[in-house]
Amino acid sequence: MCGIVGYIGPKEKKEILLEGLQELEYRGYDSAGIAIIEGDKLNNYKAIGKLENLREKTKAYKSEGFGISIGHTRWATHGKPTELNAHPHLGAYSYVVHNGIIENYQELKVELQAEGVSFLSQTDTETIVHLFEKYYNKSNDAFPAFEETIRRLEGAYATLLITEAAPDTIFFAKNGSPMLIGFDKDEVYFASSDTPIIGKATEVYYLEDGEYGYVKEGTVHLFDSNGSKSFTKQALTADKVSAQKDGYRFFMEKEIYEQSHVMGDTMIGRVLDNSINFEELDENFFEGINAIKICACGTSYHSALTSAYLFERISKVRCDIEIASEFRYKEPLLTKDTLFITISQSGETADTLEALKMAKRAGLKSLSICNVDNSSIVRESDAAILTRAGIEKGVASTKAFATQMMVLWMLTLYVGQEKKSISKEVLHKEIDAMLRTPKALVVTDELHAKLQRLSKRYLHGHGFFFIGRDIFFPLALEGALKLKEISYLHAEGYPAGEMKHGPIALADSELFTIALMPKTMHYDKIKSNVEELSARDATILAISPEPFDLADDFIQTTYDSHPMLEFFEMMVVTQLLALEISVRLGNDVDMPRNLAKSVTVE
Ligand code: F6R
């Protein structure tokens, strides 16, 4: 999704912008651009496709003196991914970059066109720069013109504007889309998340919704609807997580291998000998809570679905799961004895964030499970539990899902403890299994080689059905999502027992069934479901500890006494299967077509 970087200071601005945008690349984009003003020199470059194209275009350009600069990676929403639609957008003498959506842009555009303004792009963003120039042309005063502009905008935005009318100033505003300001002595940075400025700025301020202002001579002037305001900077970590792939071919591959290790991090200080501890939750957090509602999107929704089985079975608390984009418009009945949980890797997913705001307006207590500290969802929630997966760069989420699952599993035990609905023996058994999780996630050379070999048989056909029962049904959904995201092959996740109610009509040798057949959960039931498919000649890849005669291909997992350990082991198998199929098809594993890492539009 779109990314913003800005810098004001004496350093080589082009490099700062390009390096910063590179850090945001993993979020997905289809074009990029920069605009720099040094003295009276204004330079602007845009390119569609990868950042390399912009780098190539700007090869001969250097920007070494003091100046102001803004850059952007665009993920198309209004208008095609063309150079004209790429940001920064130009007025007569100003440039703007913007993340989010200006909902009233049509109305503003009509108004400006009626006044003689011509638009070059199909974007909503271009209205910002023309509005600014309209007001500046009247007042000859840049900041009031910017303020007036911001007042006219409806929707979500994080925006930076530079203008020849004030060549030493960057104007900024935030509402609903993330933006932060970084500081290093007299130099000031802007970015839509902190990764582009780690290692450059030492302190940071995360802008709140409704804040806007300008930076001039190293000083930030901050305002909101009540006028000028002060703010407190906080230290920014210097620990730049290496963008290196550490010898792996893809970030996704590296992240699959990292899962075993990061699960340890997720548990530190939380899984104790005889109990689960969350420092993030105060003692009375669950007081008065009789039900849980979880809202999320995509992969995070799948971890939520899995957890509903655990919350009801282990903690004995009613738990409903909602897809955030559906929840927002269904006029849900919300009661104050419900804890509203959001799950998000990025913490910036627009639908999840808006669902959270709705629940808060209804007076519900909120908790987020998130991978990015200080993200919008974390800041909006009453309490937050971080998943500690580390930065996830592959667009297809892997380690974030694994760590979300671990947090949710811990949380079910924690709720059980608090509500006294779990016995000491069960708690002990669960903790014992939890501590064995990192081992279940180790990728062996043998397993990876086997999936590499086997993937060549799964590059065609008319579709994949991932099937499972109980918690292995959401895992089937997740396996199918991983495969379709990066292979572009059609895949569905289905409850195994439901196949006979329709989808079995598709069964023939070209229908690939990936059967999740754990030994600890309804093995005989799922075995019968797979036999029914095999009898109709479907091609079966069985994943199970138990050898299965009817399987065309078989991946043997470990016999274990705990379903969650089987769950995690099978999760790794489905992730590697998707990866290897995608590699064989020659796809861009880390940046699949049409997808973005952080979905900040509705
Ligand atoms: C799938 C994937 C997406 C995200 C979804 C929600 O691999 O990454 O389905 O899970 O866009 O994103 P977050 O978790 O950041 O809210």
Side-chain angles (χ1 to χ4, degrees), residues 297-300 343-347 349 352 395-397 404 481-482 485 597 599:
C297 303
T299 288
S300 300
I343 306 177
S344 175
Q345 188 287 127
S346 61
T349 302
T352 312
V395 164
S397 184
Q404 285 168 356
L481 179 63
K482 280 306 76 109
E485 278 181 301
K597 183 69 186 160
V599 186

Side-chain angles (χ1 to χ4, degrees), residues 23 195-200 237-243:
E23 291 293 332
T195 35
I197 62 165
I198 292 176
K200 294 189 166 76
T237 172
D239 176 20
K240 188 156 186 91
V241 178
S242 162

Side-chain angles (χ1 to χ4, degrees), residues 460-475:
H460 59 289
H462 58 75
F464 287 74
F465 267 85
F466 285 68
I467 58 169
R469 299 182 82 117
D470 206 284
I471 55 172
F472 294 86
F473 159 52
L475 184 60

Side-chain angles (χ1 to χ4, degrees), residues 379-531:
R379 282 180 289 130
E380 193 69 33
S381 307
D382 294 324
I385 300 177
L386 295 179
T387 45
R388 304 180 183 161
I391 289 179
E392 189 178 65
K393 292 214 164 190
V395 164
S397 184
T398 52
K399 62 177 181 169
F401 175 71
T403 53
Q404 285 168 356
M405 261 339 300
M406 179 53 96
V407 166
L408 286 160
W409 184 13
M410 291 190 283
L411 194 63
T412 56
L413 304 189
Y414 184 84
V415 174
Q417 265 171 210
E418 296 297 294
K419 299 230 154 253
K420 309 214 179 338
S421 54
I422 182 171
S423 70
K424 281 214 168 71
E425 294 72 57
V426 173
L427 183 61
H428 209 264
K429 206 176 112 233
E430 296 293 310
I431 289 181
D432 178 62
M434 237 168 220
L435 294 171
R436 288 187 287 132
T437 308
K439 203 160 155 237
L441 287 156
V442 172
V443 181
T444 62
D445 291 347
E446 201 190 338
L447 173 68
H448 200 158
K450 176 146 194 191
L451 282 158
Q452 231 155 10
R453 265 199 321 279
L454 170 155
S455 58
K456 64 175 174 286
R457 294 201 280 279
Y458 293 90
L459 307 176
H460 59 289
H462 58 75
F464 287 74
F465 267 85
F466 285 68
I467 58 169
R469 299 182 82 117
D470 206 284
I471 55 172
F472 294 86
F473 159 52
L475 184 60
L477 289 173
E478 174 59 10
L481 179 63
K482 280 306 76 109
L483 183 68
K484 70 183 136 201
E485 278 181 301
I486 59 172
S487 71
Y488 319 141
L489 297 170
H490 180 74
E492 280 189 60
Y494 233 76
E498 189 68 13
M499 291 297 281
K500 57 184 170 295
H501 297 290
I504 203 165
L506 293 167
D508 64 15
S509 59
E510 297 289 284
L511 179 78
F512 301 141
T513 302
I514 315 297
L516 307 179
M517 304 173 72
K519 202 58 185 127
T520 52
M521 227 168 207
H522 320 304
Y523 180 78
D524 291 333
K525 301 264 178 237
I526 183 148
K527 186 164 169 251
S528 314
N529 300 143
V530 182
E531 281 165 358

